[in-house]
Amino acid sequence: MSYHLVWFKRDLRLHDHAALHAASRRGPVLALYIVEPGLWQQPDAARQHYEFVRESLADLQRELQAHGGQLLVLQGEATEVLTRLWHEQLAAPFASLYSHEETGNGWTYARDRAVAHWCRAHGVPWQELPQFGVVRALRNRDHWQGAWEELMGAPVLDTPALRFAPLPCASEPLPPSSALGLDPHDPPRRQRGGRARGLAVLRSFLDERARHYRGGISSPLSAPTACSRLSAYLAWGCLSLREVVQATRERTAFSEDPRLKAGLHAFQSRLYWHCHFIQKLESEPAIEFENMHRGYDGLREDDFDAAHFEALSTGRTGWPLVDACVTMLRETGWLNFRMRAMLVSVAAYPLWLHWRPVGEWLATQFLDYEPGIHWSQLQMQSGTTGINTTRVYNPVKQALDHDPQGRFVRQWLPALRRVPDSWLLEPWRMPASVQDACGVRIGQEWPQPLVELEAATRAAKQRLYERRGQSSVRAAKAGIVQKHGSRRRPEGTTKRAAPAAPDRQLSLDW
Ligand SMILES: Cc1cc2nc3c(=O)[nH]c(=O)nc-3n(C[C@H](O)[C@H](O)[C@H](O)COP(=O)(O)OP(=O)(O)OC[C@H]3O[C@@H](n4cnc5c(N)ncnc54)[C@H](O)[C@@H]3O)c2cc1C
């Protein structure tokens, strides 16, 4: 019996799954997940991602069983596994391959090209269907908003009636993360994977937590509950973006609570930005490795200070808010937008670190690592896109604005708990007598800041502005705006149809 192979990647659900839907209309399906050792060996992969995937696969397996099916798990590189399945066929080979359109990292891009080649060589049509509002082979951004709205406004696809092909071979157990060579660290307080958990997080946000979204998302103290916390469930596909968009719109329309409505409106803009940023990597995969504006090449590359990077990534910069964020990240796998932006800004300006190693490290720390958002944001916060306003976050000012009593700092940095309030956010300024009295001596119990913040930041901005001022750098900007920049809302469209332009809005509001 011929069947249609549905390859699950970062789309670990049955609901609103376009590829599964399309395959099921053609005949019996076989649901496949491939544990690809090459993928998990990439520098942006982490054990927490793999564990989250394992938890999500357990949910997926339960859902498939409820529909009378099974998930086939096989280990190997994708083309090897396809070849094995091709030869393990019972009566007839699979007739076609279905999956979502993945905007992944350079490794998945190359793997997908190899799979496309394999499919052509074996005469197997491969249907890739979008799961986000991201357009493949987009010519320019002019009509992008309309395309996003069209996909997000189309009906959500219920899990279809499924007929399953018998498994052509036995499923393999999911290997432990150590067998894939992953670093053993797994944040003990991270979110757990799976669609059931994702739906519960969505429900609690739409019903109540969104009331605190406006005004609550900037401080690292309130953000963990005020933000939706849906990012990991979107990144690994436990929830579909469209179902979240539509559930949010429905809740907004039927709620009479003005605070909730305001929060949900602001949240909807982020769902749009989600795809806006992924589109950048889809349109230009090189931005994972190269400056979006090539005029910034050579700016930081040769100055990489390994000791600065080491101090940053182990939470020992000496700036309390920075080190508290790094500690929280290691413990939970999550940080809010403002604190992520601040970490990158500190890396890029006073520490003058190139974004690529910083981005690799943060990719492993963020449970919700989504390459398109991640690399676009890394570049944006490092000033190498050439099209965004430079935002430099001063970690002392951020602490004064968003953690004035130092509650967040004390929560994550036990070493500073006994420092008096007035010195907590700048402990290096403590007089020696206060250091002795509280038992926190700078250079011993707490590090001296790596650099003098104001002077180092000023020097960094100066170097960036010099580069930006060069005529060739200015001249190349228009082409980047044309390719990646958000467009003003087209005339005649409603606010809902076209949320505010994220590139501009980010520079103004965040
Ligand atoms: C340097 C840096 C790296 C980042 N890397 C990632 C990443 O790998 N994966 C990721 O999902 N987000 C990333 N973000 C964006 C943002 O910080 C997270 O989406 C957000 O903190 C996730 O928490 P949440 O789901 O509670 O957010 P909410 O505020 O509730 O937002 C809802 C959803 O909207 C999307 N979103 C929110 N803010 C942004 C934004 N600024 N740009 C694009 N999409 C957004 C996300 O999908 C998010 O889940 C990054 C931001 C920065 C500054």
Side-chain angles (χ1 to χ4, degrees), residues 300 303-313 316-319 322-323 342-354 358 361 392 395 448-453 455-457 460 463:
R300 296 185 178 93
D303 295 338
F304 191 80
D305 185 323
H308 282 179
F309 178 69
E310 172 70 14
L312 174 68
S313 58
R316 294 191 56 78
T317 64
W319 296 305
V322 172
D323 296 338
M342 180 197 69
L343 282 188
V344 176
S345 167
V346 164
Y349 295 101
L351 301 184
W352 200 243
L353 296 170
H354 190 269
V358 175
W361 160 61
V392 181
Q448 184 75 33
L450 294 172
V451 293
E452 206 283 304
L453 186 64
T457 305
R463 289 166 89 171

mmCIF file of all heavy atoms in Angstrom, residues 300 303-313 316-319 322-323 342-354 358 361 392 395 448-453 455-457 460 463:
data_model
loop_
_atom_site.group_PDB
_atom_site.id
_atom_site.type_symbol
_atom_site.label_atom_id
_atom_site.label_comp_id
_atom_site.label_asym_id
_atom_site.label_seq_id
_atom_site.Cartn_x
_atom_site.Cartn_y
_atom_site.Cartn_z
ATOM 1 N N ARG A 300 34.054 44.713 14.356
ATOM 2 C CA ARG A 300 34.405 44.140 15.663
ATOM 3 C C ARG A 300 35.213 42.847 15.561
ATOM 4 O O ARG A 300 35.772 42.393 16.558
ATOM 5 C CB ARG A 300 33.127 43.810 16.451
ATOM 6 C CG ARG A 300 32.267 45.007 16.830
ATOM 7 C CD ARG A 300 31.116 44.550 17.705
ATOM 8 N NE ARG A 300 30.262 45.648 18.166
ATOM 9 C CZ ARG A 300 29.175 46.056 17.544
ATOM 10 N NH1 ARG A 300 28.778 45.482 16.422
ATOM 11 N NH2 ARG A 300 28.442 47.052 18.041
ATOM 12 N N ASP A 303 38.629 42.332 17.197
ATOM 13 C CA ASP A 303 38.836 42.824 18.566
ATOM 14 C C ASP A 303 38.253 41.894 19.612
ATOM 15 O O ASP A 303 38.126 42.283 20.766
ATOM 16 C CB ASP A 303 38.175 44.205 18.732
ATOM 17 C CG ASP A 303 38.844 45.250 17.864
ATOM 18 O OD1 ASP A 303 40.011 45.027 17.494
ATOM 19 O OD2 ASP A 303 38.199 46.263 17.545
ATOM 20 N N PHE A 304 37.847 40.700 19.204
ATOM 21 C CA PHE A 304 37.118 39.828 20.128
ATOM 22 C C PHE A 304 37.953 39.534 21.376
ATOM 23 O O PHE A 304 39.051 38.974 21.288
ATOM 24 C CB PHE A 304 36.721 38.529 19.430
ATOM 25 C CG PHE A 304 35.750 37.714 20.236
ATOM 26 C CD1 PHE A 304 34.403 38.041 20.240
ATOM 27 C CD2 PHE A 304 36.179 36.639 21.002
ATOM 28 C CE1 PHE A 304 33.497 37.308 20.993
ATOM 29 C CE2 PHE A 304 35.271 35.896 21.748
ATOM 30 C CZ PHE A 304 33.929 36.237 21.745
ATOM 31 N N ASP A 305 37.407 39.892 22.533
ATOM 32 C CA ASP A 305 38.124 39.685 23.787
ATOM 33 C C ASP A 305 37.520 38.462 24.489
ATOM 34 O O ASP A 305 36.422 38.543 25.060
ATOM 35 C CB ASP A 305 37.988 40.956 24.647
ATOM 36 C CG ASP A 305 38.815 40.873 25.929
ATOM 37 O OD1 ASP A 305 38.901 39.767 26.503
ATOM 38 O OD2 ASP A 305 39.354 41.914 26.351
ATOM 39 N N ALA A 306 38.253 37.354 24.445
ATOM 40 C CA ALA A 306 37.718 36.091 24.974
ATOM 41 C C ALA A 306 37.435 36.190 26.474
ATOM 42 O O ALA A 306 36.487 35.566 26.975
ATOM 43 C CB ALA A 306 38.700 34.959 24.695
ATOM 44 N N ALA A 307 38.231 36.973 27.183
ATOM 45 C CA ALA A 307 38.008 37.095 28.635
ATOM 46 C C ALA A 307 36.702 37.838 28.904
ATOM 47 O O ALA A 307 35.953 37.491 29.832
ATOM 48 C CB ALA A 307 39.189 37.812 29.279
ATOM 49 N N HIS A 308 36.411 38.854 28.105
ATOM 50 C CA HIS A 308 35.139 39.569 28.261
ATOM 51 C C HIS A 308 33.967 38.632 27.977
ATOM 52 O O HIS A 308 32.963 38.622 28.696
ATOM 53 C CB HIS A 308 35.070 40.762 27.300
ATOM 54 C CG HIS A 308 35.857 41.942 27.761
ATOM 55 N ND1 HIS A 308 35.943 43.110 27.046
ATOM 56 C CD2 HIS A 308 36.598 42.128 28.882
ATOM 57 C CE1 HIS A 308 36.693 43.977 27.697
ATOM 58 N NE2 HIS A 308 37.114 43.397 28.818
ATOM 59 N N PHE A 309 34.112 37.864 26.926
ATOM 60 C CA PHE A 309 33.029 36.934 26.570
ATOM 61 C C PHE A 309 32.813 35.904 27.682
ATOM 62 O O PHE A 309 31.679 35.617 28.079
ATOM 63 C CB PHE A 309 33.331 36.248 25.234
ATOM 64 C CG PHE A 309 32.280 35.243 24.848
ATOM 65 C CD1 PHE A 309 31.003 35.661 24.495
ATOM 66 C CD2 PHE A 309 32.556 33.885 24.870
ATOM 67 C CE1 PHE A 309 30.017 34.738 24.167
ATOM 68 C CE2 PHE A 309 31.577 32.957 24.536
ATOM 69 C CZ PHE A 309 30.302 33.392 24.179
ATOM 70 N N GLU A 310 33.885 35.393 28.195
ATOM 71 C CA GLU A 310 33.814 34.397 29.270
ATOM 72 C C GLU A 310 33.111 34.989 30.505
ATOM 73 O O GLU A 310 32.236 34.352 31.108
ATOM 74 C CB GLU A 310 35.253 33.948 29.604
ATOM 75 C CG GLU A 310 35.427 33.062 30.814
ATOM 76 C CD GLU A 310 34.862 31.663 30.623
ATOM 77 O OE1 GLU A 310 34.567 31.306 29.464
ATOM 78 O OE2 GLU A 310 34.700 30.961 31.651
ATOM 79 N N ALA A 311 33.487 36.211 30.843
ATOM 80 C CA ALA A 311 32.872 36.855 32.019
ATOM 81 C C ALA A 311 31.377 37.085 31.776
ATOM 82 O O ALA A 311 30.546 36.847 32.654
ATOM 83 C CB ALA A 311 33.580 38.175 32.314
ATOM 84 N N LEU A 312 31.033 37.519 30.571
ATOM 85 C CA LEU A 312 29.619 37.756 30.260
ATOM 86 C C LEU A 312 28.830 36.447 30.352
ATOM 87 O O LEU A 312 27.781 36.376 30.998
ATOM 88 C CB LEU A 312 29.501 38.348 28.848
ATOM 89 C CG LEU A 312 28.070 38.528 28.321
ATOM 90 C CD1 LEU A 312 27.326 39.604 29.111
ATOM 91 C CD2 LEU A 312 28.075 38.902 26.830
ATOM 92 N N SER A 313 29.339 35.422 29.715
ATOM 93 C CA SER A 313 28.551 34.191 29.593
ATOM 94 C C SER A 313 28.511 33.383 30.894
ATOM 95 O O SER A 313 27.714 32.471 31.020
ATOM 96 C CB SER A 313 29.069 33.335 28.433
ATOM 97 O OG SER A 313 30.425 33.036 28.634
ATOM 98 N N ARG A 316 29.654 37.135 35.213
ATOM 99 C CA ARG A 316 30.636 37.752 36.105
ATOM 100 C C ARG A 316 31.181 39.050 35.499
ATOM 101 O O ARG A 316 32.374 39.310 35.494
ATOM 102 C CB ARG A 316 31.800 36.777 36.385
ATOM 103 C CG ARG A 316 31.346 35.549 37.189
ATOM 104 C CD ARG A 316 32.501 34.715 37.700
ATOM 105 N NE ARG A 316 33.463 35.471 38.506
ATOM 106 C CZ ARG A 316 33.278 35.813 39.776
ATOM 107 N NH1 ARG A 316 32.158 35.529 40.391
ATOM 108 N NH2 ARG A 316 34.219 36.476 40.428
ATOM 109 N N THR A 317 30.241 39.857 34.970
ATOM 110 C CA THR A 317 30.683 41.134 34.394
ATOM 111 C C THR A 317 30.928 42.175 35.472
ATOM 112 O O THR A 317 31.598 43.174 35.242
ATOM 113 C CB THR A 317 29.619 41.712 33.433
ATOM 114 O OG1 THR A 317 28.435 42.011 34.192
ATOM 115 C CG2 THR A 317 29.310 40.769 32.287
ATOM 116 N N GLY A 318 30.285 41.987 36.637
ATOM 117 C CA GLY A 318 30.357 43.002 37.692
ATOM 118 C C GLY A 318 29.158 43.945 37.662
ATOM 119 O O GLY A 318 28.940 44.682 38.625
ATOM 120 N N TRP A 319 28.368 43.936 36.574
ATOM 121 C CA TRP A 319 27.150 44.769 36.512
ATOM 122 C C TRP A 319 25.988 43.891 36.994
ATOM 123 O O TRP A 319 25.615 42.907 36.328
ATOM 124 C CB TRP A 319 26.889 45.256 35.090
ATOM 125 C CG TRP A 319 27.974 46.171 34.601
ATOM 126 C CD1 TRP A 319 28.411 47.311 35.220
ATOM 127 C CD2 TRP A 319 28.761 46.031 33.407
ATOM 128 N NE1 TRP A 319 29.429 47.887 34.484
ATOM 129 C CE2 TRP A 319 29.656 47.124 33.367
ATOM 130 C CE3 TRP A 319 28.786 45.111 32.368
ATOM 131 C CZ2 TRP A 319 30.565 47.303 32.341
ATOM 132 C CZ3 TRP A 319 29.681 45.283 31.334
ATOM 133 C CH2 TRP A 319 30.568 46.375 31.326
ATOM 134 N N VAL A 322 23.049 42.689 34.665
ATOM 135 C CA VAL A 322 23.527 41.813 33.598
ATOM 136 C C VAL A 322 23.762 40.405 34.155
ATOM 137 O O VAL A 322 23.287 39.407 33.614
ATOM 138 C CB VAL A 322 24.830 42.378 32.980
ATOM 139 C CG1 VAL A 322 25.451 41.391 32.002
ATOM 140 C CG2 VAL A 322 24.567 43.719 32.308
ATOM 141 N N ASP A 323 24.467 40.349 35.273
ATOM 142 C CA ASP A 323 24.811 39.032 35.831
ATOM 143 C C ASP A 323 23.573 38.311 36.376
ATOM 144 O O ASP A 323 23.480 37.084 36.287
ATOM 145 C CB ASP A 323 25.893 39.195 36.910
ATOM 146 C CG ASP A 323 27.194 39.734 36.308
ATOM 147 O OD1 ASP A 323 27.376 39.577 35.087
ATOM 148 O OD2 ASP A 323 28.006 40.328 37.036
ATOM 149 N N MET A 342 19.210 44.103 26.299
ATOM 150 C CA MET A 342 20.261 44.702 27.123
ATOM 151 C C MET A 342 21.523 43.829 27.127
ATOM 152 O O MET A 342 22.643 44.343 27.005
ATOM 153 C CB MET A 342 19.760 44.893 28.551
ATOM 154 C CG MET A 342 20.818 45.509 29.452
ATOM 155 S SD MET A 342 20.451 45.287 31.184
ATOM 156 C CE MET A 342 20.681 43.538 31.385
ATOM 157 N N LEU A 343 21.344 42.521 27.235
ATOM 158 C CA LEU A 343 22.525 41.641 27.235
ATOM 159 C C LEU A 343 23.324 41.815 25.941
ATOM 160 O O LEU A 343 24.554 41.900 25.951
ATOM 161 C CB LEU A 343 22.107 40.171 27.350
ATOM 162 C CG LEU A 343 21.714 39.634 28.714
ATOM 163 C CD1 LEU A 343 21.518 38.123 28.645
ATOM 164 C CD2 LEU A 343 22.769 39.961 29.764
ATOM 165 N N VAL A 344 22.589 41.836 24.827
ATOM 166 C CA VAL A 344 23.298 41.960 23.542
ATOM 167 C C VAL A 344 23.939 43.338 23.427
ATOM 168 O O VAL A 344 25.066 43.477 22.931
ATOM 169 C CB VAL A 344 22.339 41.681 22.360
ATOM 170 C CG1 VAL A 344 23.038 41.913 21.028
ATOM 171 C CG2 VAL A 344 21.818 40.250 22.443
ATOM 172 N N SER A 345 23.232 44.349 23.902
ATOM 173 C CA SER A 345 23.781 45.701 23.830
ATOM 174 C C SER A 345 25.068 45.817 24.662
ATOM 175 O O SER A 345 26.060 46.409 24.220
ATOM 176 C CB SER A 345 22.704 46.682 24.325
ATOM 177 O OG SER A 345 23.246 47.939 24.555
ATOM 178 N N VAL A 346 25.063 45.233 25.839
ATOM 179 C CA VAL A 346 26.276 45.262 26.679
ATOM 180 C C VAL A 346 27.416 44.525 25.974
ATOM 181 O O VAL A 346 28.568 44.974 25.961
ATOM 182 C CB VAL A 346 25.975 44.638 28.071
ATOM 183 C CG1 VAL A 346 27.252 44.287 28.809
ATOM 184 C CG2 VAL A 346 25.133 45.591 28.902
ATOM 185 N N ALA A 347 27.072 43.405 25.345
ATOM 186 C CA ALA A 347 28.104 42.657 24.608
ATOM 187 C C ALA A 347 28.649 43.489 23.446
ATOM 188 O O ALA A 347 29.862 43.545 23.218
ATOM 189 C CB ALA A 347 27.511 41.342 24.094
ATOM 190 N N ALA A 348 27.726 44.139 22.731
ATOM 191 C CA ALA A 348 28.120 44.799 21.475
ATOM 192 C C ALA A 348 28.798 46.139 21.681
ATOM 193 O O ALA A 348 29.648 46.537 20.880
ATOM 194 C CB ALA A 348 26.877 44.987 20.594
ATOM 195 N N TYR A 349 28.417 46.866 22.744
ATOM 196 C CA TYR A 349 28.967 48.220 22.898
ATOM 197 C C TYR A 349 30.087 48.262 23.946
ATOM 198 O O TYR A 349 31.254 48.174 23.543
ATOM 199 C CB TYR A 349 27.834 49.237 23.111
ATOM 200 C CG TYR A 349 26.973 49.303 21.850
ATOM 201 C CD1 TYR A 349 25.753 48.647 21.785
ATOM 202 C CD2 TYR A 349 27.433 49.950 20.704
ATOM 203 C CE1 TYR A 349 24.990 48.656 20.623
ATOM 204 C CE2 TYR A 349 26.681 49.961 19.536
ATOM 205 C CZ TYR A 349 25.462 49.312 19.505
ATOM 206 O OH TYR A 349 24.736 49.311 18.347
ATOM 207 N N PRO A 350 29.788 48.308 25.238
ATOM 208 C CA PRO A 350 30.958 48.424 26.141
ATOM 209 C C PRO A 350 31.942 47.274 26.016
ATOM 210 O O PRO A 350 33.152 47.481 26.145
ATOM 211 C CB PRO A 350 30.344 48.488 27.549
ATOM 212 C CG PRO A 350 28.923 48.092 27.408
ATOM 213 C CD PRO A 350 28.514 48.360 25.991
ATOM 214 N N LEU A 351 31.451 46.060 25.743
ATOM 215 C CA LEU A 351 32.406 44.934 25.650
ATOM 216 C C LEU A 351 32.895 44.709 24.222
ATOM 217 O O LEU A 351 33.813 43.910 23.989
ATOM 218 C CB LEU A 351 31.774 43.647 26.220
ATOM 219 C CG LEU A 351 31.329 43.721 27.678
ATOM 220 C CD1 LEU A 351 30.812 42.375 28.165
ATOM 221 C CD2 LEU A 351 32.485 44.192 28.580
ATOM 222 N N TRP A 352 32.273 45.363 23.275
ATOM 223 C CA TRP A 352 32.719 45.378 21.880
ATOM 224 C C TRP A 352 32.926 43.960 21.320
ATOM 225 O O TRP A 352 33.917 43.643 20.674
ATOM 226 C CB TRP A 352 33.997 46.208 21.744
ATOM 227 C CG TRP A 352 34.280 46.686 20.342
ATOM 228 C CD1 TRP A 352 35.365 46.357 19.581
ATOM 229 C CD2 TRP A 352 33.479 47.568 19.543
ATOM 230 N NE1 TRP A 352 35.297 46.960 18.348
ATOM 231 C CE2 TRP A 352 34.145 47.725 18.303
ATOM 232 C CE3 TRP A 352 32.269 48.230 19.719
ATOM 233 C CZ2 TRP A 352 33.644 48.517 17.260
ATOM 234 C CZ3 TRP A 352 31.768 49.019 18.690
ATOM 235 C CH2 TRP A 352 32.460 49.153 17.490
ATOM 236 N N LEU A 353 31.945 43.093 21.606
ATOM 237 C CA LEU A 353 32.043 41.702 21.133
ATOM 238 C C LEU A 353 31.241 41.539 19.848
ATOM 239 O O LEU A 353 30.118 42.062 19.737
ATOM 240 C CB LEU A 353 31.490 40.745 22.193
ATOM 241 C CG LEU A 353 32.239 40.689 23.525
ATOM 242 C CD1 LEU A 353 31.436 39.898 24.563
ATOM 243 C CD2 LEU A 353 33.620 40.062 23.336
ATOM 244 N N HIS A 354 31.772 40.799 18.927
ATOM 245 C CA HIS A 354 31.035 40.529 17.692
ATOM 246 C C HIS A 354 29.799 39.697 18.022
ATOM 247 O O HIS A 354 29.833 38.828 18.904
ATOM 248 C CB HIS A 354 31.940 39.775 16.712
ATOM 249 C CG HIS A 354 31.346 39.668 15.335
ATOM 250 N ND1 HIS A 354 30.574 38.611 14.950
ATOM 251 C CD2 HIS A 354 31.403 40.502 14.275
ATOM 252 C CE1 HIS A 354 30.170 38.788 13.701
ATOM 253 N NE2 HIS A 354 30.668 39.934 13.267
ATOM 254 N N VAL A 358 28.348 35.667 20.483
ATOM 255 C CA VAL A 358 27.355 36.007 21.513
ATOM 256 C C VAL A 358 26.020 35.333 21.156
ATOM 257 O O VAL A 358 25.342 34.746 21.991
ATOM 258 C CB VAL A 358 27.188 37.547 21.605
ATOM 259 C CG1 VAL A 358 26.069 37.921 22.571
ATOM 260 C CG2 VAL A 358 28.505 38.187 22.037
ATOM 261 N N TRP A 361 26.065 31.563 21.781
ATOM 262 C CA TRP A 361 25.881 31.277 23.215
ATOM 263 C C TRP A 361 24.420 31.488 23.611
ATOM 264 O O TRP A 361 23.804 30.602 24.229
ATOM 265 C CB TRP A 361 26.825 32.180 24.032
ATOM 266 C CG TRP A 361 26.421 32.341 25.457
ATOM 267 C CD1 TRP A 361 26.311 31.352 26.393
ATOM 268 C CD2 TRP A 361 26.036 33.562 26.107
ATOM 269 N NE1 TRP A 361 25.887 31.897 27.591
ATOM 270 C CE2 TRP A 361 25.718 33.237 27.445
ATOM 271 C CE3 TRP A 361 25.960 34.898 25.695
ATOM 272 C CZ2 TRP A 361 25.308 34.201 28.371
ATOM 273 C CZ3 TRP A 361 25.557 35.859 26.618
ATOM 274 C CH2 TRP A 361 25.238 35.514 27.931
ATOM 275 N N VAL A 392 21.224 51.647 22.637
ATOM 276 C CA VAL A 392 22.250 51.199 23.572
ATOM 277 C C VAL A 392 21.623 51.197 24.964
ATOM 278 O O VAL A 392 21.109 52.220 25.411
ATOM 279 C CB VAL A 392 23.481 52.127 23.528
ATOM 280 C CG1 VAL A 392 24.541 51.632 24.494
ATOM 281 C CG2 VAL A 392 24.046 52.184 22.111
ATOM 282 N N PRO A 395 23.101 49.235 31.507
ATOM 283 C CA PRO A 395 22.581 48.271 32.488
ATOM 284 C C PRO A 395 22.295 48.885 33.856
ATOM 285 O O PRO A 395 21.482 48.354 34.610
ATOM 286 C CB PRO A 395 23.692 47.218 32.572
ATOM 287 C CG PRO A 395 24.918 47.852 32.031
ATOM 288 C CD PRO A 395 24.473 48.909 31.071
ATOM 289 N N GLN A 448 35.035 43.442 39.973
ATOM 290 C CA GLN A 448 35.094 44.816 39.464
ATOM 291 C C GLN A 448 34.498 44.769 38.049
ATOM 292 O O GLN A 448 34.768 43.818 37.316
ATOM 293 C CB GLN A 448 36.586 45.195 39.386
ATOM 294 C CG GLN A 448 36.900 46.593 38.968
ATOM 295 C CD GLN A 448 36.618 47.596 40.092
ATOM 296 O OE1 GLN A 448 36.771 47.277 41.260
ATOM 297 N NE2 GLN A 448 36.191 48.785 39.707
ATOM 298 N N PRO A 449 33.686 45.762 37.638
ATOM 299 C CA PRO A 449 33.179 45.736 36.256
ATOM 300 C C PRO A 449 34.323 45.602 35.248
ATOM 301 O O PRO A 449 35.425 46.107 35.472
ATOM 302 C CB PRO A 449 32.467 47.074 36.107
ATOM 303 C CG PRO A 449 32.070 47.438 37.497
ATOM 304 C CD PRO A 449 33.161 46.903 38.390
ATOM 305 N N LEU A 450 34.022 44.935 34.158
ATOM 306 C CA LEU A 450 35.072 44.610 33.178
ATOM 307 C C LEU A 450 35.704 45.842 32.569
ATOM 308 O O LEU A 450 36.900 45.870 32.273
ATOM 309 C CB LEU A 450 34.463 43.762 32.057
ATOM 310 C CG LEU A 450 33.977 42.369 32.456
ATOM 311 C CD1 LEU A 450 33.217 41.728 31.310
ATOM 312 C CD2 LEU A 450 35.154 41.496 32.866
ATOM 313 N N VAL A 451 34.837 46.855 32.327
ATOM 314 C CA VAL A 451 35.348 48.104 31.732
ATOM 315 C C VAL A 451 34.612 49.249 32.403
ATOM 316 O O VAL A 451 33.599 49.041 33.068
ATOM 317 C CB VAL A 451 35.091 48.163 30.199
ATOM 318 C CG1 VAL A 451 35.897 47.120 29.449
ATOM 319 C CG2 VAL A 451 33.601 48.007 29.883
ATOM 320 N N GLU A 452 35.120 50.456 32.177
ATOM 321 C CA GLU A 452 34.417 51.630 32.695
ATOM 322 C C GLU A 452 33.265 51.884 31.713
ATOM 323 O O GLU A 452 33.490 52.170 30.528
ATOM 324 C CB GLU A 452 35.397 52.806 32.773
ATOM 325 C CG GLU A 452 35.019 53.847 33.814
ATOM 326 C CD GLU A 452 33.884 54.747 33.341
ATOM 327 O OE1 GLU A 452 34.049 55.362 32.279
ATOM 328 O OE2 GLU A 452 32.836 54.815 34.017
ATOM 329 N N LEU A 453 32.043 51.731 32.238
ATOM 330 C CA LEU A 453 30.865 51.637 31.361
ATOM 331 C C LEU A 453 30.694 52.844 30.425
ATOM 332 O O LEU A 453 30.569 52.678 29.199
ATOM 333 C CB LEU A 453 29.624 51.470 32.241
ATOM 334 C CG LEU A 453 28.309 51.207 31.521
ATOM 335 C CD1 LEU A 453 28.341 49.880 30.777
ATOM 336 C CD2 LEU A 453 27.157 51.210 32.526
ATOM 337 N N ALA A 455 32.711 55.321 29.490
ATOM 338 C CA ALA A 455 33.795 55.592 28.527
ATOM 339 C C ALA A 455 33.805 54.539 27.426
ATOM 340 O O ALA A 455 33.935 54.855 26.231
ATOM 341 C CB ALA A 455 35.141 55.601 29.254
ATOM 342 N N ALA A 456 33.632 53.278 27.806
ATOM 343 C CA ALA A 456 33.679 52.209 26.801
ATOM 344 C C ALA A 456 32.490 52.308 25.843
ATOM 345 O O ALA A 456 32.622 52.088 24.632
ATOM 346 C CB ALA A 456 33.683 50.847 27.501
ATOM 347 N N THR A 457 31.341 52.692 26.379
ATOM 348 C CA THR A 457 30.159 52.819 25.525
ATOM 349 C C THR A 457 30.325 53.992 24.562
ATOM 350 O O THR A 457 29.993 53.905 23.377
ATOM 351 C CB THR A 457 28.882 53.002 26.390
ATOM 352 O OG1 THR A 457 28.813 51.924 27.319
ATOM 353 C CG2 THR A 457 27.633 53.026 25.542
ATOM 354 N N ALA A 460 32.605 53.017 21.807
ATOM 355 C CA ALA A 460 31.965 52.078 20.876
ATOM 356 C C ALA A 460 31.018 52.814 19.930
ATOM 357 O O ALA A 460 31.014 52.571 18.716
ATOM 358 C CB ALA A 460 31.202 51.025 21.676
ATOM 359 N N ARG A 463 32.869 54.629 17.252
ATOM 360 C CA ARG A 463 33.376 53.760 16.163
ATOM 361 C C ARG A 463 32.234 53.376 15.223
ATOM 362 O O ARG A 463 32.403 53.316 14.000
ATOM 363 C CB ARG A 463 34.018 52.500 16.752
ATOM 364 C CG ARG A 463 35.318 52.798 17.446
ATOM 365 C CD ARG A 463 35.762 51.659 18.296
ATOM 366 N NE ARG A 463 36.577 50.707 17.560
ATOM 367 C CZ ARG A 463 37.235 49.700 18.125
ATOM 368 N NH1 ARG A 463 37.171 49.530 19.430
ATOM 369 N NH2 ARG A 463 37.942 48.876 17.406
#
